[in-house]
């Protein structure tokens, strides 16, 4: 019977994710690092399968180089969600080639410290990703507000996985020193499954939206709530007027950076004002407007729910249903039926706004 290592199965699943991402990107993806990340993870899974499934030691140098590339691409992918600059215009981009070039040099001329170099690279990028995650969802200013919570959860998982990889490499080194690597195959297999989880999250960021129920981003300014200043209140009021007058929430590609530009203010200042005055993240703030508009259309028209979803500014059905449930406590179809049955749709919308 032909033996098919688990990493080969993981590689096939990653290729499926990659194909889905390419189809959904429509050639307009402004953050190609996510596509590159999934591609390299698929290749790494094949290399790991060859190494541990068939005991081919010759692929070890390739595995080491790909590991460093993965850590680098993970950072570049999520760091790119902070700014709308295209990759070619991002400062210090070429500096991120140095870890890979350094490991290639070590593999070729001085293999002894390769493992230590990989551990240091993963630890460094893990810390950087963790700091970005600590800033909260609103730090991902160029991510669509329709799916920014998914992006943030993916960032948290990736930060944990990259940081854990450094720890895993240390454990494997100890295992080789103590028992000749008798447990390393199992450790690598578990780590590869974790990689699939990370890539599933990355695929969510790049194309599929799978929002979470709650957003804990208000903790950005610390655990204790901070009272809004007069400036915060003024910014929040100006944002309310802008949202109502220009109906910006209808833009499915709306993000924090774009919103801040329309106000002529730094994105962080807008985020802090919304956090303090509204006691919610910018993504929840905008989605509240979208849900109110959806409620109005559900009550006043007989249009299909899907059409209303797009008109209100949502791009995915899963996010629409999740946010609608968060705001109203029921599904869109149930809300429409309730509004029609009670014949008090106007009063219902007023309650939502309050």
């Amino acid at each position: 019977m032909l033996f098919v290592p688990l990493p080969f199965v993981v590689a096939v699943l990653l290729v499926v994710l990659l194909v889905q991402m390419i189809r959904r990107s429509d050639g307009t993806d402004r953050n190609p690092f996510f596509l590159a990340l999934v591609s390299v993870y698929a290749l790494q899974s094949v290399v790991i399968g060859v190494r541990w499934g068939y005991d081919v030691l010759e692929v070890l140098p390739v595995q080491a180089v790909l590991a460093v590339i993965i850590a680098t691409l993970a950072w570049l992918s999520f760091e790119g969600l902070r700014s709308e600059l295209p990759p070619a215009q991002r400062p210090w981009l070429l500096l991120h080639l140095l870890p890979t070039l350094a490991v290639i040099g070590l593999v070729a001329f001085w293999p002894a410290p390769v493992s230590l170099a990989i551990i240091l690279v993963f630890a460094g990028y893990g810390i950087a990703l963790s700091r970005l995650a600590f800033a909260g969802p609103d730090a991902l200013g160029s991510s669509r507000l329709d799916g920014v919570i998914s992006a943030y959860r993916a960032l948290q998982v990736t930060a944990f996985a990259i940081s854990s990889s450094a720890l895993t490499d240390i454990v494997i080194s100890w295992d080789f020193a103590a028992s000749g690597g008798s447990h390393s195959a199992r450790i690598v297999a578990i780590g590869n499954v974790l990689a699939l989880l990370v890539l599933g999250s990355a695929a969510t960021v790049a194309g599929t939206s799978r929002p979470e129920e709650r957003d804990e981003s208000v903790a950005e300014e610390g655990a204790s709530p901070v009272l809004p200043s007069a400036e915060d209140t003024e910014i929040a009021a100006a944002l309310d007027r802008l949202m109502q007058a220009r109906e910006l929430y209808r833009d499915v590609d709306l993000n924090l950076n774009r919103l801040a530009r329309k106000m002529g203010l730094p994105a962080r200042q807008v985020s802090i004002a919304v956090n303090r005055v509204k006691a919610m993240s910018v993504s929840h703030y905008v989605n509240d407007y979208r849900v109110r508009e959806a409620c109005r259309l559900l009550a006043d028209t007989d249009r299909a729910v899907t059409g209303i979803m797009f008109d209100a500014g949502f791009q995915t059905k899963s996010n629409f249903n999740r946010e609608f449930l968060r705001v109203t406590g029921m599904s869109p179809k149930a809300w429409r039926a309730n509004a029609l049955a009670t014949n008090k749709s106007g009063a219902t919308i007023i309650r939502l706004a309050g």
Side-chain angles (χ1 to χ4, degrees):
M1 179 181 293
L2 179 65
F3 171 64
V4 180
L6 174 64
F8 286 1
V9 178
V10 173
V12 172
L13 295 176
L14 291 172
V15 170
V16 172
L17 283 175
L18 180 62
V19 171
Q20 291 177 345
M21 290 167 64
I22 293 173
R23 286 178 176 176
R24 290 172 181 172
S25 69
D26 242 356
T28 59
D29 185 16
R30 300 188 62 177
N31 194 339
F33 293 113
F34 280 111
L35 294 175
L37 180 61
V38 179
S39 301
V40 177
Y41 252 117
L43 180 58
Q44 181 73 308
S45 292
V46 172
V47 172
I48 290 174
V50 171
R51 163 64 183 94
W52 296 103
Y54 301 105
D55 201 26
V56 179
L57 299 179
E58 288 78 8
V59 299
L60 282 176
V62 177
Q63 184 177 339
V65 173
L66 288 178
V68 176
I69 293 175
I70 284 171
T72 304
L73 286 175
W75 165 251
L76 291 175
S77 297
F78 287 99
E79 195 270 339
L81 293 180
R82 292 198 299 184
S83 169
E84 293 186 336
L85 288 175
Q89 296 181 19
R90 286 164 61 179
W92 314 112
L93 182 64
L94 293 180
L95 286 179
H96 292 282
L97 290 174
L98 293 180
T100 300
L101 294 176
V103 170
I104 291 175
L106 289 175
V107 167
F109 303 107
W110 189 23
V114 167
S115 295
L116 176 60
I118 294 175
I119 291 172
L120 293 176
V121 170
F122 270 83
Y125 280 118
I127 292 172
L129 286 164
S130 298
R131 290 184 62 185
L132 181 58
F134 183 74
D138 288 344
L140 307 179
S142 69
S143 179
R144 282 188 305 102
L145 292 174
D146 185 42
V148 68
I149 304 304
S150 299
Y152 179 63
R153 297 308 184 211
L155 169 60
Q156 289 179 312
V157 173
T158 303
F160 173 78
I162 295 298
S163 301
S164 298
S165 292
L167 214 51
T168 301
D169 287 341
I170 294 175
V171 172
I172 291 175
S173 299
W174 284 343
D175 182 52
F176 269 100
S179 62
S182 60
H183 303 96
S184 294
R186 183 176 301 176
I187 296 172
V188 170
I190 294 173
N192 207 41
V193 173
L194 180 59
L196 175 60
L197 174 62
V198 173
L199 265 295
S201 299
T204 298
V205 175
T208 62
S209 294
R210 188 181 58 81
E212 302 296 326
E213 296 179 3
R214 295 295 300 168
D215 177 7
E216 310 297 337
S217 66
V218 181
E220 177 184 349
E221 294 300 306
S224 302
V226 179
L227 293 177
S229 65
E231 185 181 26
D232 293 331
T233 304
E234 183 178 342
I235 292 173
L239 183 57
D240 282 337
R241 292 192 295 270
L242 184 65
M243 292 291 287
Q244 293 164 10
R246 299 179 59 179
E247 298 184 335
L248 297 178
Y249 53 85
R250 291 181 182 272
D251 180 3
V252 296
D253 293 320
L254 186 66
N255 57 48
L256 175 57
N257 289 344
R258 187 175 301 182
L259 199 59
R261 275 202 307 272
K262 292 182 182 296
M263 299 187 69
L265 295 170
R268 178 175 172 79
Q269 196 171 0
V270 175
S271 170
I272 290 175
V274 173
N275 290 170
R276 291 176 176 175
V277 177
K278 305 293 184 180
M280 64 177 70
S281 70
V282 175
S283 60
H284 275 180
Y285 169 79
V286 172
N287 283 337
D288 280 1
Y289 271 96
R290 290 169 170 166
V291 170
R292 290 173 194 151
E293 176 63 12
C295 287
R296 185 186 69 79
L297 294 172
L298 286 168
D300 295 347
T301 72
D302 58 357
R303 295 175 55 192
V305 174
T306 302
I308 289 175
M309 174 191 80
F310 288 120
D311 199 42
F314 288 100
Q315 192 174 45
T316 63
K317 188 175 181 180
S318 59
N319 197 20
F320 173 55
N321 289 335
R322 186 70 63 89
E323 289 296 287
F324 199 97
L325 180 63
R326 176 182 65 84
V327 176
T328 68
M330 60 183 73
S331 69
K333 290 184 178 179
W335 194 94
R336 168 179 268 176
N338 182 67
L340 293 176
T342 59
N343 198 26
K344 295 180 180 179
S345 57
T348 305
I349 295 173
I350 291 173
R351 285 200 298 273
L352 287 173

